[in-house]
């Protein structure tokens, strides 16, 4: 029996190509794992009306973690049109399988490392090493929205929030409301993950990204929890920055930041910003972890315009693979993979188009393997 069981979820388009690269690398590292294929993505929406069939999540329950490529998703109207004829008119609704995975496995922690590799021509600056911890299950993406907004609902709100007065004399159809839900439990577990990471990897500081002077209740609760958790880690510097200000600071002085922590929406935006400082979609990768399970993935999508061409950069996928190896406790393999990627970048002989090269996806994987030694 293998040491690990890994759910293998290539998905659509270039997801398949970058996962092929990951497999070459894992086989060469000699990871003792059984890889179990899982159906996910657009094809299963079209043919079965479900992009994440139950057999896939059932299979995942029996594995240690999952490696995921990318999927295609389309707006509701188009999604319905592409359903197989026998599924038409059945009132099926498309839901993003990634969002569903995060919810079903309670993967509350979205960790996005952003590391400037020495010699990469895509770095804004060298010396950038910023890890973003984004809360994955609540905040502005809790999914609690209203529109049309009934008078009754607004009256309830007015009773608790006098500032609602301005919005009372409007037709229901002319007002939509989204909620931002912060819970003490949700805030605490993501903030604690950030501090634990800082402690484990010897990082100097943790910065909370918020806007508490305007979002007084929700932002206030985040700051309150942050201060409490921070007091348990006196050796780590901690402070909060406003989300708008940090968007400028991250471009001006990214080397000042180590670990950032934020609610769902702020984390989504700030992690894309941080990703572009060190190479963008060819590098950006993430781990979604909960208490019992984890899914590792590149940040990019299925890139239909490159699908089948083996042109795209596998580094994002390989860096997600490295995260998975660290999660499994295979530190030596993770370090070897890191070294292979680093040397491939500094040598600059075998690189994909986005880095100014002409190499193919799998050539880069083979070069990384060559550079293990
Ligand atoms: P995308 O990330 O698939 O690609 C956008 C562009 O970024 C590509 O055309 C290419 O120029 C560049 N790019 C992406 N990955 C790259 C790589 N590894 N190396 C070099 N260049 C790379 O985003 P797009 O085109 O907006 O979405 C395509 C499909 O993917 C849509 O159906 C979308 O819904 C889905 N999507 C899925 C995600 C996921 O599975 N996690 C995330 C984002 C989009
Ligand atoms: Mg995003």
């Amino acid at each position: 029996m293998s040491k690990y069981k890994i759910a293998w979820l290539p998905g659509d388009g270039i997801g398949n190509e970058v996962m092929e690269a990951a497999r070459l690398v894992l086989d060469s590292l000699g990871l003792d794992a059984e890889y179990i294929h899982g159906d996910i993505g657009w094809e299963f929406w079209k043919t079965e009306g479900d992009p994440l069939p139950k057999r896939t999540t059932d299979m995942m329950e029996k594995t240690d973690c999952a490696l995921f490529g990318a999927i295609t998703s389309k707006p509701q109207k188009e999604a319905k049109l592409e359903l197989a004829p026998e599924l038409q008119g059945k009132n099926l609704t498309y839901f993003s399988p990634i969002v569903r995975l995060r919810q079903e496995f309670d993967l509350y922690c979205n960790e996005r490392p952003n590391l400037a590799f020495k010699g990469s021509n895509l770095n804004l600056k060298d010396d950038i090493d910023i890890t973003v911890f984004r809360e994955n299950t609540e905040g502005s993406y809790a999914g609690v929205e209203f529109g049309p907004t009934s008078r009754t609902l607004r009256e309830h709100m007015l009773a608790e929030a006098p500032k609602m007065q301005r919005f009372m004399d409007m037709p229901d159809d002319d007002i939509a409301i989204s909620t931002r839900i912060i819970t003490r439990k949700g805030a605490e577990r993501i903030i604690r993950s950030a501090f634990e990471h800082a402690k484990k990897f010897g990082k100097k500081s943790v910065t909370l990204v918020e806007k508490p002077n305007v979002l007084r209740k929700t932002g206030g609760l985040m700051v309150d929890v942050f201060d409490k958790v921070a007091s348990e880690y006196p050796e780590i510097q901690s402070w909060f920055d406003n989300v708008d200000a940090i968007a400028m600071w991250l471009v001006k002085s990214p080397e000042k930041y180590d670990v950032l922590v934020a609610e769902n929406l702020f984390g989504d935006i700030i992690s894309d910003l941080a990703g572009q400082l060190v190479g963008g979609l060819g590098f950006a990768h993430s781990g979604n972890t909960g208490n019992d399970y984890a899914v590792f993935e590149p940040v990019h999508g299925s890139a239909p315009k490159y699908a089948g061409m083996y042109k795209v950069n596998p580094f994002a996928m390989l860096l997600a693979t490295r995260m998975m190896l660290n999660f499994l406790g295979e530190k030596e393999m993770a370090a070897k993979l890191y070294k292979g990627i680093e040397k491939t970048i500094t040598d600059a002989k075998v690189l994909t188009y986005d880095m100014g090269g002409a190499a193919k996806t799998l050539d880069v994987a083979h070069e990384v393997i060559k550079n293990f030694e």
Side-chain angles (χ1 to χ4, degrees):
M1 221 178 74
S2 308
K3 191 166 172 197
Y4 305 111
K5 276 196 166 120
I6 295 170
W8 196 256
L9 314 173
D12 301 307
I14 63 162
N16 293 284
E17 295 155 43
V18 293
M19 287 284 277
E20 222 177 298
R23 187 56 186 273
L24 288 173
V25 161
L26 286 167
D27 286 350
S28 165
L29 287 168
L31 185 73
D32 181 12
E34 182 189 347
Y35 302 98
I36 308 172
H37 177 92
D39 292 339
I40 187 170
W42 198 246
E43 195 188 319
F44 303 97
W45 162 254
K46 288 199 300 190
T47 54
E48 300 176 25
D50 189 354
L52 180 62
K54 187 168 178 299
R55 61 179 179 278
T56 302
T57 45
D58 285 349
M59 176 276 283
M60 290 170 72
E61 299 277 0
K62 295 181 204 115
T63 58
D64 296 289
C65 62
L67 205 56
F68 166 62
I71 46 117
T72 298
S73 46
K74 298 184 187 180
Q76 216 53 252
K77 227 170 120 187
E78 270 178 77
K80 290 200 174 175
L81 285 173
E82 291 194 25
L83 278 173
E86 66 274 19
L87 296 170
Q88 297 278 347
K90 284 202 169 167
N91 220 5
L92 294 167
T93 312
Y94 180 86
F95 289 109
S96 157
I98 310 161
V99 175
R100 270 173 55 198
L101 282 180
R102 288 173 184 162
Q103 286 169 356
E104 275 180 42
F105 290 88
D106 197 22
L107 307 174
Y108 59 85
C109 177
N110 188 281
E111 181 184 340
R112 289 256 312 248
N114 304 279
L115 183 62
F117 279 90
K118 262 189 250 100
S120 166
N121 54 7
L122 298 178
N123 293 337
L124 183 75
K125 281 186 180 180
D126 296 329
D127 301 330
I128 300 174
D129 182 359
I130 299 170
T131 305
V132 182
F133 282 80
R134 162 187 168 192
E135 206 290 322
N136 237 355
T137 58
E138 51 180 51
S140 305
Y141 294 168
V144 182
E145 293 198 300
F146 306 93
T149 308
S150 72
R151 178 88 201 172
T152 322
L153 171 68
R154 280 183 273 156
E155 268 156 13
H156 282 300
M157 294 176 85
L158 180 63
E160 303 273 335
K163 286 201 171 126
M164 194 66 203
Q165 190 60 55
R166 286 196 292 140
F167 306 106
M168 297 309 286
D169 300 325
M170 294 176 188
D172 295 3
D173 273 340
D174 289 3
I175 172 168
I177 297 175
S178 289
T179 59
R180 184 168 103 125
I181 301 180
I182 303 290
T183 67
R184 196 171 285 284
K185 177 185 165 199
E188 177 161 354
R189 60 188 189 173
I190 191 68
I191 291 168
R192 197 168 287 286
S193 301
F195 277 97
E196 279 299 312
H197 174 89
K199 187 173 153 184
K200 189 166 161 196
F201 294 97
K203 305 286 177 186
K204 278 210 308 276
S205 66
V206 176
T207 308
L208 173 68
V209 181
E210 253 306 326
K211 189 76 182 179
N213 49 340
V214 178
L215 300 167
R216 290 179 181 273
K217 304 285 185 198
T218 46
L221 182 54
M222 280 293 275
V223 172
D224 183 47
V225 175
F226 182 76
D227 288 345
K228 281 205 181 86
V229 175
S231 71
E232 296 172 34
Y233 300 84
E235 71 286 5
I236 299 166
Q237 291 173 42
S238 60
W239 68 88
F240 95 83
D241 275 356
N242 283 312
V243 60
D244 48 343
I246 203 173
M248 291 205 277
W249 285 116
L250 279 174
V251 175
K252 187 161 188 271
S253 319
E255 65 284 353
K256 287 195 181 136
Y257 294 95
D258 296 302
V259 177
L260 308 181
V261 61
E263 63 94 27
N264 219 331
L265 164 67
F266 291 169
D268 192 10
I269 296 170
I270 228 72
S271 57
D272 271 20
L273 197 165
Q276 194 56 47
L277 301 174
V278 296
L281 288 175
F283 283 80
H285 58 288
S286 73
N288 304 278
T289 46
N291 293 334
D292 309 315
Y293 200 70
V295 178
F296 300 91
E297 55 168 329
V299 167
H300 63 72
S302 60
K305 91 174 174 206
Y306 292 119
M309 295 166 75
Y310 287 90
K311 266 191 81 165
V312 297
N313 196 341
F315 286 151
M317 185 76 235
L318 298 184
L319 289 165
T321 306
R322 170 181 171 244
M323 262 185 121
M324 180 185 80
L325 289 168
N326 272 321
F327 169 82
L328 293 172
E330 296 291 347
K331 306 283 173 211
E332 260 173 53
M333 289 187 193
K336 219 166 157 181
L337 177 50
Y338 177 84
K339 231 188 93 200
I341 296 171
E342 191 178 43
K343 186 157 189 311
T344 305
I345 293 170
T346 31
D347 289 353
K349 286 188 300 220
V350 184
L351 297 172
T352 46
Y353 80 94
D354 55 317
M355 299 188 74
K360 296 277 194 166
T361 308
L362 301 185
D363 295 337
V364 175
H366 286 298
E367 184 70 10
V368 168
I369 292 167
K370 217 172 87 192
N371 288 330
F372 282 165
E373 302 318 321

